[in-house]
Amino acid sequence: MPRENVRPPLRRAGPAAGVAMLMMAQAGPATAAPLPAAAPAPATAAPAPDGNVQKAMEELAGIPGVVGVVGGAYVDGRSVGLGSAGTRLLNGEGGRIPANARFPIWSQTKQMVATVVLQLVAEGELGVDDKLGDLLPEVVEKDLVTRADEITVRQMLRHTSGIPDWYAGKPNPDGSEGDPSFDVFDFTTHYRPLDLVKWSRARPRTGEPGEKWFYSNTNYTLLGLVIERLTGHDLATELHARLFGPLKMTKTYLRVRPPEGIEGPHGHGYYPDADGRLRDVDRFNASLAGAGAGGVVSTAHDVSAFNRAFTQGKLLPPELQRILTDRLPVAPHSRGEDRGGCGDDFLITGGLAPGSIAMTFSSEDGRRQFALSFTLSARPSAVELDVSKALETVFCPSSAPAHGG
């Protein structure tokens, strides 16, 4: 969903391109930077001491606006700890969230959708410079996207298409989405992907095709439709066949139709209504998520498995992976400092929506992951997260500097 001005957990670095969007995105957009491909990992790694993840969760749960937090850390695919703190429901109710609970990953979904698109490119089903109007003639016939005969797959993947966002009525000055333009508390209306695309039609283009980076969920709503048209299968089926199944992401699925929720005990998030009253948004409208805003529900284990495979270059040929990882001159980019990994530099993929924030840290060699999800009692943009201390607590406690508080 839209990328909001959530305080980045680690310092921002130079800009990067499009899809692996590292950083926050509100319910829809991914955020801003691609993941670099990494060399295969060495065979061994020092595991984090037991208990560090739980300690990190307890520290994070004390941040104002956080209801609950769950997370897990992995080294070379092996768990080195799961943790949970806070509570499932508001005001200390509902007990603790199970440490292996499912949670929405929001715009981290975009990286998965992009991976499927580029796998289809590798199979010869389309080209990265194919035009949107040729792939989805209905957007031309119904006048849903201006200049569709000029916009390419590459531009949509990298958010340089100029197609305006359907999610927010007014973007933020940095090109990310603003507040939702729809009723956050409408949990039941079923919207088709082309309904969402139509919402963007009256909004001004954000640039010439290929001219500049500008975050837009509409790009990925359209790419989801391209996948379905080319394969003859729905997006959920393709994600499972190509990613969730092969990577043994057994607890991961795509929410499709409202009021589909999250399976199993999990944390609930809250969002203020027009009167400032906090309301449970656990049943966020599944048809508003999908390929664009990010409808995948996962776990710390599963989303770490995907990030490990992607970062280590196991899902795409190198030349296609670079479409997602080569940097653009103006797109926001988040990457970690040399902290939290005893010298490792961590990349961040993340997403946010009304009620929650999810993020995954992955070392540049793909050997270490730290995935976590926060449920909130405030707008995501009002919650200040600094996750660098938690990263140190998990992966390098002996070198973590003293922090006050």
Side-chain angles (χ1 to χ4, degrees):
M1 317 201 93
R3 175 182 180 281
E4 285 206 357
N5 296 324
V6 175
R7 296 291 180 86
L10 298 174
R11 70 172 174 81
R12 290 191 180 188
V19 125
M21 308 279 158
L22 309 182
M23 218 29 290
M24 304 296 89
Q26 199 164 317
T31 41
L35 295 169
T44 60
D50 291 342
N52 288 338
V53 172
Q54 181 57 35
K55 179 182 178 183
M57 296 301 101
E58 290 168 359
E59 292 169 346
L60 292 170
I63 296 172
V66 172
V67 176
V69 57
V70 295
Y74 299 83
V75 176
D76 293 335
R78 301 189 307 271
S79 173
V80 293
L82 290 172
S84 168
T87 53
R88 288 185 58 240
L89 306 176
L90 195 61
N91 299 323
E93 298 181 359
R96 179 169 287 185
I97 308 170
N100 62 348
R102 291 182 175 92
F103 52 83
I105 67 169
W106 302 122
S107 281
Q108 293 180 73
T109 302
K110 285 184 173 66
Q111 188 181 357
M112 298 174 181
V113 170
T115 299
V116 172
V117 169
L118 290 174
Q119 287 180 348
L120 290 169
V121 171
E123 294 163 12
E125 296 297 324
L126 77 162
V128 293
D129 294 317
D130 285 356
K131 302 299 192 294
L132 172 61
D134 295 330
L135 295 168
L136 294 176
E138 59 265 48
V139 303
V140 176
E141 295 162 3
K142 297 179 181 180
D143 190 26
L144 299 178
V145 177
T146 61
R147 315 221 4 218
D149 57 340
E150 302 174 52
I151 294 166
T152 67
V153 170
R154 185 194 307 267
Q155 291 163 0
M156 290 188 290
L157 287 169
R158 292 166 64 87
H159 291 289
T160 62
S161 68
I163 301 173
D165 189 19
W166 61 257
Y167 182 91
K170 183 178 180 181
N172 292 320
D174 66 355
S176 62
E177 293 78 357
D179 289 333
S181 61
F182 50 85
D183 181 1
V184 171
F185 307 106
D186 175 5
F187 305 136
T188 58
T189 303
H190 181 249
Y191 299 100
R192 299 170 304 164
L194 285 180
D195 294 332
L196 307 183
V197 174
K198 187 175 182 180
W199 292 358
S200 71
R201 179 61 180 84
R203 297 172 183 171
R205 287 185 50 81
T206 58
E208 297 294 310
E211 176 189 8
K212 61 183 179 180
W213 181 92
F214 210 98
Y215 197 89
S216 174
N217 286 290
T218 314
N219 287 313
Y220 277 79
T221 300
L222 290 163
L223 288 169
L225 288 170
V226 169
I227 291 170
E228 293 184 339
R229 169 164 293 225
L230 290 176
T231 65
H233 303 139
D234 60 40
L235 180 61
T237 297
E238 286 298 310
L239 286 170
H240 186 271
R242 293 173 176 273
L243 301 177
F244 306 160
L247 296 176
K248 296 181 170 55
M249 299 167 64
T250 59
K251 294 187 176 181
T252 301
Y253 62 95
L254 178 73
R255 287 192 287 181
V256 177
R257 296 184 67 93
E260 185 177 6
I262 299 170
E263 298 174 7
H266 60 275
H268 286 224
Y270 301 82
Y271 196 78
D273 63 17
D275 298 322
R277 180 171 59 96
L278 287 173
R279 295 175 57 184
D280 189 328
V281 289
D282 179 60
R283 292 272 174 176
F284 185 86
N285 193 312
S287 66
L288 289 170
V296 168
V297 172
S298 192
T299 63
H301 170 275
D302 285 7
V303 75
S304 293
F306 172 78
N307 275 272
R308 182 165 52 256
F310 181 89
T311 306
Q312 293 185 344
K314 296 177 179 178
L315 302 177
L316 293 170
E319 67 277 10
L320 293 179
Q321 178 137 340
R322 285 194 292 270
I323 292 172
L324 305 182
T325 58
D326 283 354
R327 299 183 185 183
L328 290 172
V330 293
H333 182 214
S334 277
R335 61 192 287 136
E337 301 171 339
D338 288 335
R339 302 175 63 185
C342 304
D344 286 350
D345 201 21
F346 278 78
L347 302 165
I348 314 162
T349 55
L352 59 87
S356 70
I357 294 172
M359 61 180 74
T360 305
F361 296 78
S362 188
S363 61
E364 286 189 309
D365 62 5
R367 298 184 65 198
R368 300 185 183 198
Q369 286 78 37
F370 179 36
L372 60 166
S373 170
F374 300 84
T375 45
L376 310 177
S377 61
R379 292 177 182 270
S381 56
V383 180
E384 297 187 12
L385 296 177
D386 182 354
V387 189
S388 59
K389 180 181 176 183
L391 200 58
E392 291 169 345
T393 298
V394 170
F395 284 126
C396 199
S398 61
S399 67
H403 291 260

